[in-house]
Amino acid sequence: MKKLSQIRKRIFNQVLRLNLVFLFLIMFLSTVNLYAQTFDFTGASGNGTATATETESSVTMTVTIDQGATWVLADGGGLQGTVAELLAAGSSNINYTVTFSFSSARSITSLYYFEADNSTSGVTTWSFTVTNGTGTTVTQNAGDFDVNNAVTVSPPDWDSVSEFTVTATGTAGFQPGFDNIICAVPVPVELT
C-alpha cells in the first residue's frame, strides 16, 4: 500500500511538471511580439511621377496611380492631421486606382487617408481592397469624412498583405492623399 502511494505521488509530480511545461510552452508560443513599422513618406522618392517608393527596414513600399496622374511628395505641416511628409495625387479623377505594393508581406493595421483638394464633393464611397494577401474590403462613405481632417482607416484583418488598392465611386473628385501606413511586424525570436 505504501509503495502504491509512492508511485501515485511520483506520477502526480511528473504529470504536474509536464502540465507546467506545457502551460509555459503554450504561453510562450501564443505570445507574438510585434513592433510597428511605419511608412510615413519621409525619404520617399517619386515626386512628379506615377510611382512613389519608400524603404523602411529593408522593405520597399511602392505606390502607383494610373490615368496619367502624378504624385506630390511634400511636407504636409500637419495638414488634415498628417505628420510631416505625405503623398497626394497632383490632380483629381474619379477613375483613379491607387495600388500599394510591398516587397515583403505586411499586416496593415492602419493608414491615414485624406482628400488632397479638401473636398469630398462628387465622391460617394472609397474602397480599400486587399488584392494580394488576406483581408476584407474596408469602405468609407462621404459621411465618414470631415474634409479638414484625415480619416484613419483601420482594417480589422489585413494579414500577409503584399498589395492593396484604393478606389472611389461617384461622379467627380477623388484626389487621394496618404500618410503613415502602419504595419505590425513580428519580432524574430532566436532560440538558443
Side-chain angles (χ1 to χ4, degrees):
M1 192 72 141
K2 188 175 179 184
K3 200 167 195 151
L4 184 59
S5 175
Q6 289 175 341
I7 292 172
R8 284 183 185 163
K9 192 175 190 180
R10 202 173 308 143
I11 291 172
F12 175 78
N13 286 337
Q14 287 177 345
V15 169
L16 181 61
R17 274 187 251 148
L18 281 174
N19 283 340
L20 289 174
V21 168
F22 283 121
L23 179 62
F24 175 75
L25 185 61
I26 288 170
M27 287 173 43
F28 176 75
L29 293 176
S30 67
T31 304
V32 177
N33 293 320
L34 299 176
Y35 74 93
Q37 179 181 41
T38 302
F39 292 92
D40 61 5
F41 301 103
T42 300
S45 62
N47 190 47
T49 71
T51 302
T53 60
E54 179 182 4
T55 301
E56 294 291 336
S57 302
S58 301
V59 176
T60 300
M61 175 183 71
T62 303
V63 189
T64 59
I65 189 166
D66 63 2
Q67 304 290 324
T70 60
W71 289 119
V72 174
L73 286 161
D75 183 342
L79 171 75
Q80 297 188 15
T82 61
V83 179
E85 301 295 313
L86 56 81
L87 178 70
S91 59
S92 66
N93 182 331
I94 196 64
N95 296 313
Y96 286 156
T97 296
V98 176
T99 304
F100 285 78
S101 59
F102 299 88
S103 62
S104 178
R106 307 279 88 174
S107 293
I108 312 293
T109 58
S110 68
L111 61 94
Y112 281 173
Y113 175 80
F114 62 94
E115 279 294 318
D117 64 357
N118 284 346
S119 172
T120 58
S121 178
V123 180
T124 53
T125 59
W126 293 260
S127 296
F128 301 80
T129 307
V130 173
T131 53
N132 195 343
T134 60
T136 54
T137 296
V138 176
T139 302
Q140 299 286 152
N141 298 309
D144 299 334
F145 280 85
D146 169 356
V147 295
N148 296 314
N149 292 297
V151 173
T152 300
V153 178
S154 300
D157 59 356
W158 283 17
D159 295 317
S160 300
V161 174
S162 58
E163 185 177 279
F164 71 92
T165 62
V166 181
T167 57
T169 58
T171 58
F174 190 43
Q175 189 171 355
F178 304 94
D179 194 12
N180 293 344
I181 289 75
I182 300 175
C183 311
V185 181
V187 175
V189 176
E190 288 186 33
L191 298 176
T192 56

